[in-house]
Amino acid sequence: MSLESVVSLNVAKFGGTSVADYDAMQRCADIIIANPQTRVVVVSASSGVTNQLVALTQAETSVEESKALIKKIASIQYQILDKLGNPSDVAARIDHILSHISTLSERLKLTRSKAVMDELLSQGEMCSSVFFAAVLREKGASASAFDVRQVLRTDSHHGRAEPQIEMIAELAKQHLEPLLCDQVIVTQGFVGADSEGNTTTLGRGGSDYSAALLAEALQADAVEIWTDVAGIYTTDPRLAPNARPIPEISFNEAAEMATFGAKVLHPATILPAVRQKIQVFVGSSWAPEQGGTWIRHQVKSEPVYRAVAVRRDQTLLNLHSLQMLHAQGFLAETFATLAKHKISVDLITTSEVNVALTLDKTGSDSSGQGLLSEALLQELSQHCRVRVEEGLALVAVIGNNIASTAGVCRRVFEVLETYNVRMICQGASPHNLCILVDEAEAANVIGALHENLFEA
Ligand code: ASP
Ligand code: MG
């Protein structure tokens, strides 16, 4: 089959739990084989591996602890290797990656180089891609592992590198597209390379982003995100047992949604797909027969209430300055400082002398560093008083025409009587109403909202 005869091209991404072990990979391989349009597969590291690699990069990790971590990583990988029908196919490759992990971890004891950290962090995806291609071949498919660093060009901001869209498109045309005619290509999520060929990473959870970037570069027709939940629900079913799956949702609603169902799928990560109007599917690799959710540019129905979403572990930054009274430029100065420190702001409210904003943690630095550095706080403190509040959760009511439908606020707030609402954002978007509440109360707030908006 030539690429032209493939009517449409799918990019499928499998998260860490979907490629956790050999059996999980088998299920994913069946999904790939069932759809001949899927020619590009993007995989995360097997569940837990990136966390262990992150621990290896930490300065405080002792030599003994490092040894234990490397052993743990090796045991996850060898369990997969041992189950392969033809392990010799990839054994040397995996051994090489594991010894590379040891070397890099030793090198980090001598230098705290972020480039070395990224090289180390990328090794989980290197292993899972080699294994996944082998599992596909075992099932009779023609498949190879492909080093994504040949095409996923980024800047050199290690830990959270910025992809270079045009270069990626060019490189993908050159190096990746020709390979797709007669085989399935399995490649690494989360990983990139700068113009010098140094390995970079896109930030934690970056594999969805990788899939969307490759789909954009290859002008694919769909991106499938396979995870451990059957799509997007009206809310996390663990918080509201009557939560229902949503078969179809618009990009606009999705873009406002902080979390998708029980699983985080930040809109920024699928932005490249949104840009190109490439439809995105979210489904469970454990139960593909249950279907999932399609995120599309245009959808058939546009209900006022579509979902209630939550994003935990929120930081609220409160800035106070009398400079703000009848002055210009305070916000400009503040945002310039935040931008300089690569902080992306999520919600914002202002009063005459205060600005409150929440920080967007998506893709926080791969090495697990906090967003609020001492340097940033000091710089902000030079022109205002800074207060940081933690332990908050952002709850979002997602839907359509929210800002222009009478009675929405009443229905939302009537069930919140006994809860303290720390911050409210409404009006900027027709698709959401956001409230910030105490993290400890978030589950109850979600339950109450879901019942009132979806179960009445
Ligand atoms: N393996 C990386 C992480 O755990 C990337 C991903 O899973 O999306 O953050
Ligand atoms: Mg993951």
Side-chain angles (χ1 to χ4, degrees):
M1 215 184 320
S2 74
L3 194 56
E4 284 76 57
S5 70
V6 178
V7 263
S8 58
L9 174 69
N10 270 356
V11 174
K13 177 257 169 177
F14 294 90
T17 53
S18 294
V19 295
D21 52 36
Y22 179 77
D23 296 334
M25 286 190 187
Q26 292 263 316
R27 277 189 292 275
C28 301
D30 290 337
I31 293 172
I32 300 299
I33 290 167
N35 185 352
Q37 286 157 6
T38 305
R39 289 303 174 91
V40 179
V41 176
V42 175
V43 289
S44 288
S46 300
S47 217
V49 171
T50 308
N51 288 345
Q52 273 135 22
L53 291 168
V54 169
L56 271 181
T57 65
Q58 307 297 304
E60 61 275 13
T61 304
S62 69
V63 175
E64 279 313 302
E65 286 164 338
S66 294
K67 277 193 188 138
L69 286 163
I70 292 172
K71 228 170 140 179
K72 223 160 155 184
I73 295 168
S75 112
I76 294 174
Q77 309 303 349
Y78 283 134
Q79 267 174 39
I80 303 174
L81 188 71
D82 288 345
K83 285 200 168 179
L84 281 176
N86 179 16
S88 60
D89 182 20
V90 295
R93 184 85 197 90
I94 295 298
D95 280 335
H96 179 82
I97 296 171
L98 290 171
S99 84
H100 195 42
I101 290 175
S102 298
T103 312
L104 291 166
S105 140
E106 272 157 38
R107 205 180 300 160
L108 276 180
K109 297 270 177 273
L110 309 171
T111 148
R112 305 292 307 144
S113 149
K114 288 208 137 205
V116 178
M117 286 183 200
D118 267 354
E119 174 75 18
L120 179 56
L121 291 171
S122 70
Q123 301 306 312
E125 270 76 6
M126 293 297 165
C127 286
S128 57
S129 54
V130 168
F131 281 133
F132 198 97
V135 169
L136 277 169
R137 286 195 293 271
E138 209 172 275
K139 286 180 175 283
S142 150
S144 332
F146 175 83
D147 190 334
V148 81
R149 292 173 295 189
Q150 289 186 54
V151 297
L152 213 131
R153 176 67 57 82
T154 69
D155 67 7
S156 304
H157 189 86
H158 288 287
R160 197 180 176 175
E162 204 58 59
Q164 295 175 345
I165 311 299
E166 273 157 36
M167 272 314 285
I168 296 173
E170 209 177 298
L171 293 167
K173 282 238 147 48
Q174 220 176 315
H175 302 296
L176 185 52
E177 208 173 86
L179 304 176
L180 303 180
C181 314
D182 52 3
Q183 61 182 330
V184 176
I185 288 297
V186 183
T187 196
Q188 305 83 31
F190 175 59
V191 178
D194 68 11
S195 58
E196 242 110 82
N198 300 307
T199 304
T200 56
T201 58
L202 302 178
R204 291 306 305 269
S207 296
D208 296 335
Y209 196 22
S210 304
L213 286 165
L214 292 176
E216 176 178 46
L218 294 165
Q219 295 168 294
D221 300 275
V223 183
E224 299 172 357
I225 306 284
W226 293 97
T227 164
D228 49 13
V229 287
I232 303 170
Y233 278 64
T234 48
T235 198
D236 183 341
R238 289 170 303 189
L239 300 179
N242 293 323
R244 299 185 299 263
I246 302 170
E248 195 187 48
I249 186 171
S250 71
F251 278 132
N252 282 336
E253 292 165 276
E256 293 292 350
M257 213 159 161
T259 54
F260 288 171
K263 202 76 192 173
V264 181
L265 176 58
H266 194 278
T269 65
I270 57 163
L271 198 63
V274 177
R275 272 198 296 258
Q276 302 301 323
K277 302 193 174 133
I278 301 171
Q279 52 183 347
V280 178
F281 174 82
V282 185
S284 165
S285 68
W286 307 81
E289 72 287 349
Q290 280 180 23
T293 303
W294 280 102
I295 308 167
R296 294 192 166 110
H297 191 61
Q298 250 165 357
V299 292
K300 284 178 214 97
S301 83
E302 296 189 331
V304 177
Y305 305 110
R306 179 79 83 183
V308 185
V310 62
R311 194 193 291 174
R312 294 176 190 279
D313 195 18
Q314 297 297 288
T315 304
L316 183 70
L317 204 57
N318 222 299
L319 310 176
H320 170 88
S321 166
L322 292 175
Q323 256 185 57
M324 265 183 258
L325 278 171
H326 300 293
Q328 294 93 37
F330 177 80
L331 281 180
E333 204 178 326
T334 303
F335 279 94
T337 306
L338 292 168
K340 196 175 111 192
H341 290 263
K342 292 224 161 214
I343 301 280
S344 139
V345 172
D346 196 11
L347 297 191
I348 173 158
T349 62
T350 64
S351 80
E352 198 58 42
V353 289
N354 287 283
V355 181
L357 38 91
T358 62
L359 310 180
D360 182 350
K361 281 201 175 161
T362 313
S364 57
D365 193 297
S366 298
S367 63
Q369 251 176 28
L371 281 176
L372 284 180
S373 64
E374 221 22 71
L376 166 67
L377 291 176
Q378 251 174 31
E379 206 170 319
L380 285 172
S381 298
Q382 278 163 17
H383 62 119
C384 58
R385 199 183 68 214
V386 183
R387 223 178 52 227
V388 180
E389 286 176 47
E390 312 259 16
L392 296 161
L394 177 66
V395 175
V397 175
I398 315 283
N400 296 280
N401 306 314
I402 286 184
S404 53
T405 304
V408 171
C409 285
R410 183 187 58 76
R411 280 191 70 183
V412 168
F413 289 107
E414 70 189 1
V415 294
L416 297 183
E417 234 169 60
T418 57
Y419 302 103
N420 179 43
V421 175
R422 180 65 190 81
M423 181 169 164
I424 305 166
C425 267
Q426 207 267 122
S429 158
H431 299 291
N432 82 359
L433 188 165
C434 285
I435 55 173
L436 202 62
V437 297
D438 201 84
E439 175 109 49
E441 296 186 326
N444 291 336
V445 166
I446 296 277
L449 279 173
H450 192 271
E451 197 180 325
N452 200 33
L453 304 179
F454 295 91
E455 301 170 39

